[in-house]
Amino acid sequence: MDSIIIQGNGPVSGEIPISGAKNAALTLMPAALLTDEPVTLTNVPRLSDIKTTNELLQSLGTKISMKDDGQSITLTTPEITNHLAHYDIVRKMRASILVLGPIIARHGIAAVSLPGGCAIGARPVDIHLKGLEALGVNLDLIDGYVHAKAPKGLKGTTYELPFASVGATENLLMAATLAKGTTVLKNVAREPEIVDLAVLLRSMGANISGDGSTEIIIEGVETLHGTTHKVVTDRIELGTYMMAPLIAGGEIELLGGKRQILESFCQKLEEAGAQITETTRGLIVARKNANIHAVNVTTEPFPGFPTDLQAQMMALLCTAEGTSVLNETIFENRFMHAPELVRMGANIDVQGGTAIVTGIKELRGAPVMATDLRASVSLILAGLAAKGETRVARVYHLDRGYEKVVSKFRSIGANIERIKE
Ligand code: EPZ
């Protein structure tokens, strides 16, 4: 397993290009199952989760070709030759559940392994399943697999999600595009990745309105056709790198960064003392003055503060002036970076879904352990500002969501290297 070593190296400077969004690509790719024509996605990030999704789709009958060093992927599914998504793949990547809606809509029968939990929580899929039942799918849970049947096809319905689940919104939106009649989905997620999926589906001939709001209306169509679509910018990668100058000092420009996909996050950073300037190339970020000060944060579904940036925010607040209160409301166990930051000298008191962070003068480098994707990168950010050497073990988590992470940090002056252990 690889480790990443960072030497605290003072203020950062330079520029970082932001890649296409992992959490958009992981739903755009299964959408290609909905048609027998080629769907080409460009600006695709080169990540291990994308590779896993390629393997999964190929096992279902999708032909995949790549160009531009993997940034452009063409997916063609003449027919679904296998309707079973195996546990071995699904357990590696929970987002595999997003093939369920497209397979059942196109093929009428599907068997997808239940994803199981992960480090940050139990991650049930009950909302996905209840929504598909509302669309007329018969479901049986047998030996850890969801067996889904819709021999007469899906039927438009009105379904209100009990929680604005991102994945459930994506699964149901994709399934409803081929349902007979009108589907109204209420209390849906509003993330930019949902809008990007709706843009792709409309370009395939789907009839969708309301994406980005709490209610999406889909008029089912007979078939969908191929298209070419550029994956939206990764707002979580963007927000992650915005932290670097705030934690270590200095100033950087994030190429392709746009405020409107991270508005509430940007407002919170400005409240803490960040200076964010929009340019024709992206966003320039620096501290407004010498110090960052404490702020209170509560994670919420979009347009609220993103849970995927909570760990990075905690790393910043470890050396802010004053005491901050962080409430994590989306996942039940998403503070595993806290004890690792405490190893670096941070003063953090976790009580259930709340973390109280009392800022200290300076973090000290230490050996720490990555536990999940966003926790891993929060430890690298902390290492940028810490005195001495920080060694982050189990960095394979990073490969799931951060393309060229070492070279991107190095391009702004970080003293960082990856070693095999
Ligand atoms: C997506 O996960 C993202 N993953 C997550 O990013 C992100 O943290 C999350 O949305 C919230 O924004 C991808 O897009 C691949 P949810 P998803 O369904 O769809 C509960 C990262 O780091 N829930 O909105 O799984 C669930 O347990 C990852 O890039 C149910 O109870 O998120 C959780 O507590 C991590 N029943 C909450 O809702 C369900 O059927 C949010 O889940 C579905 C979800």
Side-chain angles (χ1 to χ4, degrees):
M1 290 193 205
D2 293 5
S3 292
I4 283 182
I5 300 174
I6 310 109
Q7 295 289 348
N9 194 25
V12 292
S13 71
E15 56 190 44
I16 296 181
I18 301 301
S19 304
K22 163 182 89 88
N23 290 349
L26 294 183
T27 188
L28 299 172
M29 294 170 75
L33 291 167
L34 291 164
T35 177
D36 59 3
E37 296 185 9
V39 172
T40 297
L41 301 175
T42 61
N43 195 37
V44 179
R46 275 80 41 109
L47 300 167
S48 56
D49 275 5
I50 302 298
K51 195 165 155 294
T52 305
T53 306
N54 280 337
E55 287 163 19
L56 171 59
L57 294 173
Q58 284 168 320
S59 76
L60 303 173
T62 303
K63 312 262 178 286
I64 290 183
S65 62
M66 289 192 195
K67 282 193 318 194
D68 311 331
D69 184 23
Q71 273 195 306
S72 167
I73 301 184
T74 297
L75 307 107
T76 311
T77 314
E79 59 170 324
I80 291 176
T81 53
N82 159 37
H83 66 261
L84 183 140
H86 203 276
Y87 176 57
D88 287 350
I89 292 190
V90 177
R91 70 184 169 80
K92 259 192 336 189
M93 190 190 65
R94 300 188 59 270
S96 309
I97 192 71
L98 294 174
V99 300
L100 177 57
I103 299 176
I104 196 68
R106 167 100 187 268
H107 193 59
I109 181 167
V112 176
S113 166
L114 278 170
C118 75
I120 63 176
R123 312 284 299 269
V125 292
D126 53 311
I127 303 173
H128 299 238
L129 303 184
K130 289 202 189 82
L132 287 172
E133 283 181 322
L135 281 164
V137 179
N138 299 324
L139 294 172
D140 288 308
L141 294 190
I142 308 166
D143 303 336
Y145 281 77
V146 178
H147 289 265
K149 288 191 183 67
K152 299 198 200 71
L154 305 187
K155 198 166 164 317
T157 185
T158 294
Y159 176 69
E160 179 157 359
L161 282 71
F163 173 81
S165 154
V166 171
T169 302
E170 292 163 345
N171 239 334
L172 300 175
L173 173 55
M174 289 188 282
T177 58
L178 295 179
K180 291 182 192 64
T182 306
T183 299
V184 180
L185 298 175
K186 294 171 180 270
N187 192 32
V188 292
R190 302 166 59 191
E191 274 71 2
E193 293 75 36
I194 305 282
V195 174
D196 202 40
L197 174 60
V199 168
L200 168 75
L201 292 168
R202 272 192 291 268
S203 75
M204 293 168 68
N207 186 333
I208 299 168
S209 58
D211 41 293
S213 78
T214 56
E215 185 169 300
I216 298 180
I217 300 171
I218 307 106
E219 298 296 341
V221 294
E222 276 299 304
T223 56
L224 295 175
H225 53 73
T227 189
T228 295
H229 174 83
K230 183 180 180 207
V231 178
V232 70
T233 302
D234 192 323
R235 63 194 168 97
I236 306 302
E237 187 195 29
L238 169 63
T240 300
Y241 288 115
M242 288 171 74
M243 287 301 193
L246 303 180
I247 285 186
E251 175 179 288
I252 65 172
E253 183 163 20
L254 291 315
L255 307 182
K258 296 186 281 293
R259 250 193 99 107
Q260 94 267 13
I261 53 176
L262 271 182
E263 188 52 41
S264 65
F265 174 74
C266 289
Q267 285 172 14
K268 192 51 80 174
L269 289 189
E270 286 167 335
E271 190 189 327
Q275 174 92 37
I276 302 170
T277 312
E278 295 183 86
T279 69
T280 52
R281 301 171 76 211
L283 295 177
I284 291 179
V285 181
R287 287 180 189 159
K288 227 185 313 237
N289 43 49
N291 293 315
I292 290 292
H293 34 266
V295 289
N296 295 332
V297 176
T298 298
T299 61
E300 294 171 309
F302 193 88
F305 189 100
T307 175
D308 292 349
L309 286 167
Q310 176 259 107
Q312 299 88 320
M313 192 69 183
M314 185 183 285
L316 173 65
L317 295 173
C318 287
T319 53
E321 273 176 358
T323 296
S324 307
V325 177
L326 273 164
N327 288 309
E328 171 55 62
T329 69
I330 306 293
F331 291 105
E332 67 267 29
N333 186 33
R334 202 169 197 177
F335 283 143
M336 284 170 300
H337 39 286
E340 301 305 311
L341 291 165
V342 168
R343 286 178 53 75
M344 298 175 72
N347 180 344
I348 306 170
D349 176 18
V350 172
Q351 296 162 10
T354 298
I356 298 163
V357 184
T358 304
I360 60 165
K361 197 107 192 65
E362 184 173 55
L363 292 169
R364 288 187 315 281
V368 289
M369 180 82 74
T371 50
D372 59 87
L373 169 58
R374 308 302 175 181
S376 316
V377 82
S378 75
L379 299 173
I380 292 180
L381 289 167
L384 292 183
K387 190 173 172 46
E389 176 181 287
T390 299
R391 202 182 188 88
V392 184
R394 296 193 184 173
V395 290
Y396 59 85
H397 292 289
L398 279 166
D399 298 334
R400 302 191 55 173
Y402 289 96
E403 185 178 45
K404 298 186 183 145
V405 63
V406 171
S407 59
K408 287 191 176 186
F409 272 116
R410 208 173 267 158
S411 71
I412 56 172
N415 179 338
I416 181 171
E417 61 171 328
R418 180 169 182 150
I419 57 164
K420 285 216 169 309
E421 287 198 301

